[in-house]
Amino acid sequence: MEAGDHQEGAASSSSSSSKTSGSSRTSSSTTSFTSALTLSQLGDAHVPQRYVLPPSQQPIRPSYPNLSTLPILDLSSLQSSSLRPHVINNIQTACKEIGFFQVINHGIPLSVMKDALSAANEFFNLPVEDKMLLGSDNVHAPVRYGTSINHAVDKVHFWRDFIKHYSHPISEWIHLWPSNPSSYKEKMGNYARAVQVLQQQLMELVIESLGLNPIYLHDEVENGSQVMALNCYPKCPEPELALGMPSHSDYGFITILLQSCPGLQIMDQNKNWISVPDIEGALLVQMGDQMEVLSNGQYKKCGSQGDC
């Protein structure tokens, strides 16, 4: 989920083939930091110096592209034997060119998506001391609330707060998720289960678009890991100097992203940053590092960054 202007929402769910043991536990943390949301709520006219990017890295505001330039795939077309090959071909083209596409009619009810965004909003609006119970600078913690990327080591900070947690198999992890707000586990759990089903479907479609049997690597993917990251991008007083997230690619096979507002930027085939519009009900799908390797470089990992 993504968010900005105290937009909570990028709930992103990333899948990879690596297996993480469910025996890990979150230990009590003594980590301390001032979150981007807290700084935003203070109302200062300037961002602290630690958030200011070097001039060469400061963001250039891209314009929104014509919607037709970003692939939008209607997954309901898969039910038609005549339209299915067209969907597979569009996936192949999108993965080869930019490693990104959007999906509609994907089977996840809008109410489930809105509930997940609502749960994220409730969490980020909790008192600081409640959120800090999950604060950690240990990137391997199964549940971790933090700010920037890793506030303990970042030389330049990024204007976002987040909570990350493992989510597959959900039965091994959900008991570690936040108990406050009280509806968090139910609402986010419903979304995580639905996204896991969609992720399996999308993996099969992408594999098929490579000319392979759709169930190739099914067991490896099923036994892999899924991480949910909920990002909050508060209103930034100087968005021309800072970013919510730096330029990066995700390490897994695919990332499924739910936006609550515009803010995500992806790199097109001409190395230009383009803003991804927020389309109600749509989910964003990004290819990760492992997919580029799996396809022997045929498919591109998606380069993205988060605007303030």
Side-chain angles (χ1 to χ4, degrees):
M1 302 173 186
E2 300 274 64
D5 202 38
H6 193 26
Q7 304 141 345
E8 287 74 41
S12 65
S13 176
S14 299
S15 63
S16 73
S17 61
S18 58
K19 180 64 176 175
T20 307
S21 170
S23 62
S24 301
R25 295 294 180 266
T26 304
S27 58
S28 60
S29 174
T30 58
T31 189
S32 177
F33 54 82
T34 302
S35 71
L37 179 56
T38 297
L39 291 171
S40 179
Q41 290 171 337
L42 290 174
D44 290 343
H46 303 285
V47 297
Q49 186 60 36
R50 65 181 179 274
Y51 289 94
V52 176
L53 292 164
S56 62
Q57 298 177 30
Q58 290 173 5
I60 299 173
R61 303 293 158 191
S63 59
Y64 284 98
N66 185 303
L67 287 181
S68 64
T69 65
L70 290 175
I72 302 176
L73 306 182
D74 185 347
L75 296 190
S76 67
S77 299
L78 295 169
Q79 307 304 316
S80 168
S81 58
S82 61
L83 294 177
R84 181 183 174 86
H86 181 66
V87 175
I88 298 297
N89 183 67
N90 285 343
I91 289 175
Q92 182 186 74
T93 300
C95 291
K96 283 184 174 181
E97 292 183 351
I98 56 175
F100 169 90
F101 54 88
Q102 299 180 81
V103 292
I104 58 174
N105 296 321
H106 41 66
I108 301 180
L110 186 60
S111 60
V112 171
M113 298 164 65
K114 288 185 174 181
D115 277 352
L117 291 172
S118 173
N121 184 64
E122 289 182 62
F123 175 82
F124 287 116
N125 278 317
L126 288 174
V128 172
E129 57 269 22
D130 291 347
K131 292 181 288 188
M132 287 304 298
L133 293 174
L134 299 170
S136 177
D137 54 19
N138 175 11
V139 297
H140 301 295
V143 179
R144 180 166 73 103
Y145 166 67
T147 192
S148 189
I149 305 299
N150 187 342
H151 70 277
V153 299
D154 292 341
K155 294 182 178 179
V156 176
H157 285 228
F158 295 92
W159 196 258
R160 73 143 186 177
D161 299 336
F162 65 87
I163 180 170
K164 292 183 178 183
H165 46 65
Y166 297 128
S167 56
H168 178 72
I170 194 169
S171 60
E172 293 186 12
W173 301 112
I174 194 168
H175 67 286
L176 298 174
W177 292 9
S179 296
N180 187 16
S182 60
S183 63
Y184 185 94
K185 290 179 182 177
E186 178 185 0
K187 291 180 177 179
M188 204 60 68
N190 289 338
Y191 178 73
R193 292 181 186 94
V195 167
Q196 176 64 16
V197 173
L198 177 61
Q199 176 266 330
Q200 290 173 338
Q201 180 187 22
L202 290 172
M203 276 295 300
E204 291 182 2
L205 292 171
V206 172
I207 293 294
E208 184 177 349
S209 73
L210 283 167
L212 301 170
N213 188 316
I215 62 172
Y216 179 69
L217 292 183
H218 176 271
D219 291 344
E220 289 83 352
V221 173
E222 174 60 27
N223 293 323
S225 64
Q226 181 185 39
V227 177
M228 292 193 71
L230 282 64
N231 296 321
C232 172
Y233 301 112
K235 185 175 182 179
C236 181
E238 295 181 297
E240 70 279 6
L241 300 180
L243 279 172
M245 280 283 282
S247 172
H248 70 286
S249 60
D250 294 332
Y251 68 85
F253 279 126
I254 63 174
T255 295
I256 299 173
L257 183 70
L258 168 59
Q259 280 198 126
S260 63
C261 61
L264 177 70
Q265 298 172 0
I266 63 168
M267 183 172 287
D268 67 13
Q269 57 266 48
N270 297 317
K271 306 298 183 183
N272 296 317
W273 289 110
I274 56 176
S275 293
V276 179
D278 178 28
I279 301 174
E280 186 175 48
L283 290 168
L284 318 179
V285 183
Q286 300 176 193
M287 299 300 108
D289 299 344
Q290 289 186 13
M291 185 60 73
E292 185 172 273
V293 173
L294 173 68
S295 67
N296 289 324
Q298 294 184 61
Y299 287 179
K300 306 297 184 185
K301 60 186 177 185
C302 179
S304 64
Q305 65 183 20
D307 200 1
C308 281

